Amino acid sequence: MKWLELTVYTTDAGTDAVCAALNGAGITGLSIEESREKAFAFLREAAIFWDFADMDKIGTDTPCVKGYVADCPENLPVVEAAKAAVERLKTLDLPVDLGSLVMTVASVDEEDWANNWKQYYKPLEIGKRLLILPSWEERPETDRIVLKLDPGMAFGTGAHHTTRMCLEFLEKTVRAGEPMLDLGCGSGILSIAARLLGATDATAVDIDPIAESIAYENAAMNGIDRAHYQVLIGNVLSDTRLQKRIAGQYPVVAANIVADVIIALAPLARTLTAPGGVFLVSGIIDERVDEVINALNGSGFSVSEHSRAEGWNAFLCR
């Protein structure tokens, strides 16, 4: 099926007016592309959840609103109505700058947005022993430990540098017969990898409720039952009940999150890491390295290994 993509170029302040005009013309399927400045402002406000090493890929040079209708003769009046609505906007005396309001119409093929990303997610060898295998791919002939994974809506495919570096550290540090704790588990990739590498038990924690079902499904896909694998949901920084549930000392604790959360986690992680154990942290952009190291040192850790790839950093701490 083909669609008509109507693009109206405007400003960040003008997107609401453009959306209202297109909606009034009968176009309800809308998307907004914000400017880099507005995207940066949002990321600064949500800094505890986001860090980016490739900020130049965020936002666009010229904000726009895109609307979609099926490419068929019956919708030509809708397109004409949309053009007229945008023209009317140019005549209104509004208290915001609407920009050029240039409108383009293009025919585009229908895309399977839910599944198109899968074409870029292929089997991935990590370290010396692991192979991350998307759940829809055939299992290849290999001597590696195969971790089947469907990330769903949770973070963690193994393809991003942050996860890859953490997995490489896990491969070095997980010892058979010992438990492991994963703080910020996402898809469950680190905790499941730890079990496949020999950990007797793994506890996975995440603030996002969706991580629970996804991590459990991925664990089951790899033959790991709940007797030796548990997923707990909550904010480990403030939920005292959750802190009590995970209390103990683990030979391996991992946190593939962002700098602000790692800094806040460091004192708690110190109490959760067994003597002689390791705290694996990743998700740290270059600009935050010194802050994170200072926080780790201040909590009693020392960085014994440092990995870096394309602006991202991971530390193995003892």
Side-chain angles (χ1 to χ4, degrees), residues 98-306:
L98 298 179
S100 70
L101 293 180
V102 169
M103 180 175 175
T104 62
V105 181
S107 181
V108 296
D109 291 322
E110 181 173 43
E111 295 193 56
D112 184 356
W113 301 109
N115 293 299
N116 273 0
W117 63 276
K118 292 181 178 180
Q119 65 182 300
Y120 304 106
Y121 181 29
K122 298 298 182 184
L124 180 66
E125 292 186 352
I126 292 181
K128 297 179 180 179
R129 300 165 59 194
L130 285 170
L131 174 71
I132 308 301
L133 181 69
S135 60
W136 53 89
E137 293 277 349
E138 291 292 326
R139 185 187 180 102
E141 289 292 329
T142 180
D143 294 329
R144 286 176 172 261
I145 296 170
V146 175
L147 194 169
K148 295 187 70 175
L149 194 73
D150 185 347
M153 294 176 66
F155 176 80
T157 65
H160 196 276
H161 295 301
T162 59
T163 309
R164 176 186 56 77
M165 292 186 290
C166 231
L167 286 167
E168 290 171 347
F169 281 154
L170 275 179
E171 189 180 78
K172 295 179 180 179
T173 56
V174 169
R175 294 187 291 272
E178 295 182 344
M180 178 267 187
L181 175 64
D182 180 9
L183 300 174
C185 67
S187 66
I189 185 170
L190 298 181
S191 47
I192 294 168
R195 287 282 285 109
L196 295 176
L197 288 166
T200 49
D201 296 90
T203 298
V205 179
D206 204 283
I207 198 170
D208 188 348
I210 201 167
E212 181 176 16
S213 60
I214 291 174
Y216 273 134
E217 288 168 9
N218 283 324
M221 196 187 308
N222 288 278
I224 296 169
D225 61 33
R226 300 191 186 195
H228 298 281
Y229 184 79
Q230 67 171 336
V231 183
L232 304 175
I233 300 300
N235 186 338
V236 73
L237 292 173
S238 59
D239 188 335
T240 55
R241 184 178 178 184
L242 177 57
Q243 291 171 3
K244 290 178 181 177
R245 293 186 69 183
I246 64 172
Q249 293 199 309
Y250 302 81
V252 177
V253 178
N256 178 21
I257 316 180
V258 292
D260 282 323
V261 179
I262 292 168
I263 289 169
L265 269 177
L268 175 63
R270 178 68 275 178
T271 69
L272 296 169
T273 305
V278 296
F279 181 34
L280 313 178
V281 299
S282 189
I284 306 152
I285 59 174
D286 286 342
E287 293 80 359
R288 307 298 301 278
V289 164
D290 290 342
E291 286 179 76
V292 173
I293 290 177
N294 288 338
L296 292 168
N297 290 342
S299 297
F301 289 109
S302 61
V303 175
S304 61
E305 293 189 41
H306 177 186

